[in-house]
């Protein structure tokens, strides 16, 4: 299993993360494309609800994992800015933890509008990479590690722009929600290792988890809009 898929699994298996996903499924209709589908978890959950769900990801290894995990799903290797779908062919569009990784995220939102039927709903969800909240004995070092991790992605602050991206692309009825995921135990350590790497800082966080003194919080943005033609 890839490191990225392991990180996604660790996050997505949290009860709080499951609750956020449930919010993203609301109002998507009966034909949904999940762009940046990763290991196919959302596609499987939508299929279980009787929805036709299509998973698309640029990473062929992710698609292979998705097919293995959800063999009844429909999956394609594809570009978020050039989806292999006809105009107006889906009632719902979902992009979770995706736009921060794209060179031109606005093109993906334009593509969302193209593939959505009139009155279809787009849902953009993900984190602001600058807003990890981590209790630490060395706040200055923690801030520097968070900022350094944010700089490793193309658009670390894109979640702040979700609303305006939808407005700029002609979506209406924009709804903005922020849900905060909180960790107080060792389930956060995989993610913290991805931020700080091995060493004294991670050792401190590991000790905090062992002593029931760990605190990590991460706001997740869920922003939706309607293609109203």
């Amino acid at each position: 299993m890839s490191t990225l898929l392991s990180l996604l699994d660790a996050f997505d298996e949290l009860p709080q993360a499951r609750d956020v996903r449930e919010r993203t499924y609301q109002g998507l209709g009966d034909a949904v494309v999940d762009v940046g589908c990763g290991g196919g978890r959302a596609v499987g959950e939508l299929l279980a609800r009787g929805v036709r769900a299509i998973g698309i990801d640029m990473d062929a290894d992710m698609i292979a994992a998705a097919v293995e995990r959800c063999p009844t799903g429909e999956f394609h290797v594809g570009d978020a800015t050039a989806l292999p779908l006809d105009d107006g062919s889906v009632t719902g569009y979902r992009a979770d933890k995706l736009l921060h990784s794209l060179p031109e995220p606005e093109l993906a939102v334009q593509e969302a509008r193209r593939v959505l039927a009139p009155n279809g709903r787009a849902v953009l969800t993900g984190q602001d990479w600058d807003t990890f909240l981590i209790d630490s004995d060395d706040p200055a070092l923690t801030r520097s590690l968070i900022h350094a991790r944010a700089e490793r992605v193309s658009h670390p602050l894109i979640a702040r722009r979700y609303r305006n991206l939808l407005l700029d692309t002609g979506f209406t009825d924009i709804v903005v929600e922020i849900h905060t995921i909180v960790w107080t135990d060792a389930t956060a350590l995989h993610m913290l290792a991805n931020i700080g790497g091995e060493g004294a800082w991670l050792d401190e966080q590991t000790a905090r988890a062992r002593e029931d003194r760990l605190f990590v919080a991460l706001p997740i943005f869920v922003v939706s809009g309607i293609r109203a033609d």
Side-chain angles (χ1 to χ4, degrees), residues 58-144:
M58 277 287 289
D59 188 330
D61 290 337
M62 284 290 188
I63 291 296
V67 170
E68 181 176 353
R69 292 178 172 196
C70 183
T72 60
E74 179 181 346
F75 296 99
H76 304 278
V77 176
D79 188 334
T81 65
L83 297 174
L85 298 173
D86 293 334
D87 294 0
S89 58
V90 295
T91 58
Y93 172 100
R94 183 178 181 276
D96 181 8
K97 299 185 284 293
L98 171 71
L99 296 191
H100 66 262
S101 66
L102 301 180
E104 298 179 280
E106 62 278 1
L107 297 183
V109 180
Q110 292 170 17
E111 187 70 348
R113 190 177 189 281
R114 180 187 71 79
V115 301
L116 278 169
N119 297 315
R121 179 181 296 274
V123 178
L124 310 178
T125 182
Q127 70 205 57
D128 185 308
W129 285 76
D130 217 22
T131 56
F132 284 94
L133 310 175
I134 304 171
D135 192 18
S136 170
D137 293 344
D138 191 338
L141 174 59
T142 300
R143 283 194 297 272
S144 69

Side-chain angles (χ1 to χ4, degrees), residues 12 18 30 52 103 128 136 149 166 205:
D12 288 339
R18 289 198 296 269
D30 58 8
R52 180 194 174 208
D128 185 308
S136 170
R149 181 65 184 88
L166 289 170
Q205 295 298 319

Side-chain angles (χ1 to χ4, degrees), residues 49-61:
R49 289 160 174 75
V51 174
R52 180 194 174 208
I54 305 161
I56 296 176
D57 201 291
M58 277 287 289
D59 188 330
D61 290 337

Side-chain angles (χ1 to χ4, degrees), residues 4-210:
L4 176 57
L5 189 52
S6 296
L7 282 168
L8 291 173
D9 283 345
F11 179 83
D12 288 339
E13 288 167 5
L14 292 168
Q16 298 167 86
R18 289 198 296 269
D19 291 343
V20 174
R21 282 200 308 282
E22 288 293 333
R23 291 292 296 165
T24 71
Y25 299 154
Q26 295 179 9
L28 293 180
D30 58 8
V32 179
V33 60
D34 187 44
V35 184
C37 66
R41 185 184 300 266
V43 169
E45 291 176 346
L46 287 164
L47 286 172
R49 289 160 174 75
V51 174
R52 180 194 174 208
I54 305 161
I56 296 176
D57 201 291
M58 277 287 289
D59 188 330
D61 290 337
M62 284 290 188
I63 291 296
V67 170
E68 181 176 353
R69 292 178 172 196
C70 183
T72 60
E74 179 181 346
F75 296 99
H76 304 278
V77 176
D79 188 334
T81 65
L83 297 174
L85 298 173
D86 293 334
D87 294 0
S89 58
V90 295
T91 58
Y93 172 100
R94 183 178 181 276
D96 181 8
K97 299 185 284 293
L98 171 71
L99 296 191
H100 66 262
S101 66
L102 301 180
E104 298 179 280
E106 62 278 1
L107 297 183
V109 180
Q110 292 170 17
E111 187 70 348
R113 190 177 189 281
R114 180 187 71 79
V115 301
L116 278 169
N119 297 315
R121 179 181 296 274
V123 178
L124 310 178
T125 182
Q127 70 205 57
D128 185 308
W129 285 76
D130 217 22
T131 56
F132 284 94
L133 310 175
I134 304 171
D135 192 18
S136 170
D137 293 344
D138 191 338
L141 174 59
T142 300
R143 283 194 297 272
S144 69
L145 291 172
I146 292 169
H147 294 159
R149 181 65 184 88
E151 291 305 311
R152 286 160 53 189
V153 301
S154 297
H155 294 279
L157 308 183
I158 193 67
R160 305 179 192 188
R161 291 181 53 207
Y162 285 170
R163 181 176 185 272
N164 286 337
L165 282 172
L166 289 170
L167 288 171
D168 291 345
T169 313
F171 285 86
T172 63
D173 301 303
I174 311 297
V175 176
V176 178
E177 300 178 3
I178 299 178
H179 303 264
T180 302
I181 308 296
V182 176
W183 292 262
T184 59
D185 59 26
T187 58
L189 293 178
H190 198 167
M191 179 184 69
L192 293 172
N194 185 256
I195 294 172
E198 300 294 331
W201 184 83
L202 184 61
D203 290 344
E204 180 215 326
Q205 295 298 319
T206 302
R208 282 173 171 266
R210 187 169 54 247

